[in-house]
Amino acid sequence: GEDVEQSLFLSVREGDSSVINCTYTDSSSTYLYWYKQEPGAGLQLLTYIFSNMDMKQDQRLTVLLNKKDKHLSLRIADTQTGDSAIYFCAEIPSGGYQKVTFGIGTKLQVIP
Amino acid sequence: EAGVAQSPRYKIIEKRQSVAFWCNPISGHATLYWYQQILGQGPKLLIQFQNNGVVDDSQLPKDRFSAERLKGVDSTLKIQPAKLEDSAVYLCASARTDTQYFGPGTRLTVL
């Protein structure tokens, strides 16, 4: 079955770049998502990438996909204290009706 | 557009009691999901609806959990009877295509 793995914790200084990593196992065509969860809140969709793409940039966010290694990363430029949250990587096979698999989440701590 | 609405936001019950959660998806979203998120873990899919039909309920503990989506819009998730290990946040999400949008969740504490 599908599996998504993430590191548990990342600490960066305000203004630095953050890189959150994720590995996945599904080799079929898939969407890969990054969600942000702040304390006591639901999951907020940040960005997504389809598996035929290598990179996607959206303002301070850059998603890089290495299909060969099934490795996904989320880079946050100029990290702010408001970026402190848990970041979830999720794998969703294309075509709908397929089970979503979330990683365990990476807790990002931004130090002022 | 309005987001996914869930209620209640918090619920505290004793074990063996029953509880129900409600979800109102984004208008026009045919697919609705219920997830269980235990503290320190990622969300786990419990059940997926396409309109008012069940697409996937393979991880739903059917001896105590039930869900319905009447008329293909709102949905309710029920636990009867609750166990201590059911303490978690229950997230509802909806989707028009593949991208899921989440509600704020209901935090359940079972004492």
Side-chain angles (χ1 to χ4, degrees):
Chain A
E2 297 82 12
D3 192 20
V4 177
E5 294 188 355
Q6 300 179 239
S7 52
L8 291 179
F9 188 76
L10 176 66
S11 179
V12 300
R13 293 207 172 273
E14 189 175 17
D16 288 349
S17 292
S18 308
V19 179
I20 303 170
N21 295 301
C22 169
T23 58
Y24 62 98
T25 59
D26 191 340
S27 58
S28 65
S29 297
T30 186
Y31 286 96
L32 295 142
Y33 291 76
W34 284 104
Y35 285 88
K36 175 184 179 183
Q37 187 176 38
E38 297 180 79
L43 276 69
Q44 173 195 352
L45 177 65
L46 287 179
T47 186
Y48 65 92
I49 190 169
F50 192 60
S51 60
N52 66 353
M53 300 168 64
D54 296 321
M55 185 185 84
K56 182 178 181 181
Q57 186 158 2
D58 183 3
Q59 299 181 347
R60 292 191 298 121
L61 305 178
T62 303
V63 179
L64 294 177
L65 177 61
N66 180 329
K67 291 181 284 292
K68 175 177 173 290
D69 295 335
K70 298 189 182 69
H71 181 266
L72 182 74
S73 67
L74 174 69
R75 178 177 181 269
I76 306 173
D78 187 24
T79 311
Q80 303 298 306
T81 54
D83 295 324
S84 292
I86 299 175
Y87 291 80
F88 290 94
C89 171
E91 175 185 49
I92 303 176
S94 64
Y97 303 164
Q98 306 261 4
K99 189 180 297 182
V100 177
T101 304
F102 281 85
I104 197 169
T106 300
K107 184 173 183 178
L108 174 65
Q109 179 187 50
V110 182
I111 304 167
Chain B
E1 63 183 353
V4 177
Q6 290 188 247
S7 67
R9 290 296 313 277
Y10 305 92
K11 190 73 177 179
I12 301 174
I13 61 173
E14 293 186 348
K15 61 182 179 184
R16 291 189 288 275
Q17 286 187 323
S18 301
V19 65
F21 313 127
W22 174 81
C23 173
N24 179 233
I26 294 172
S27 177
H29 283 197
T31 313
L32 185 146
Y33 308 80
W34 282 103
Y35 289 89
Q36 180 192 59
Q37 186 179 20
I38 293 173
L39 186 65
Q41 298 182 18
K44 182 185 85 171
L45 180 68
L46 292 176
I47 189 166
Q48 177 181 345
F49 291 95
Q50 182 72 15
N51 296 307
N52 60 349
V54 176
V55 172
D56 183 353
D57 63 357
S58 57
Q59 298 194 97
L60 186 74
K62 297 180 186 64
D63 58 334
R64 298 183 301 106
F65 285 64
S66 64
E68 60 182 7
R69 190 182 184 198
L70 300 176
K71 301 179 183 178
V73 181
D74 293 5
S75 177
T76 56
L77 176 69
K78 297 179 181 177
I79 307 175
Q80 180 180 11
K83 293 184 176 181
L84 296 176
E85 58 261 36
D86 298 332
S87 293
V89 175
Y90 290 84
L91 296 165
C92 179
S94 71
R96 191 193 305 274
T97 56
D98 285 304
T99 302
Q100 298 182 30
Y101 296 88
F102 283 80
T106 297
R107 182 176 297 277
L108 173 66
T109 302
V110 182
L111 304 176

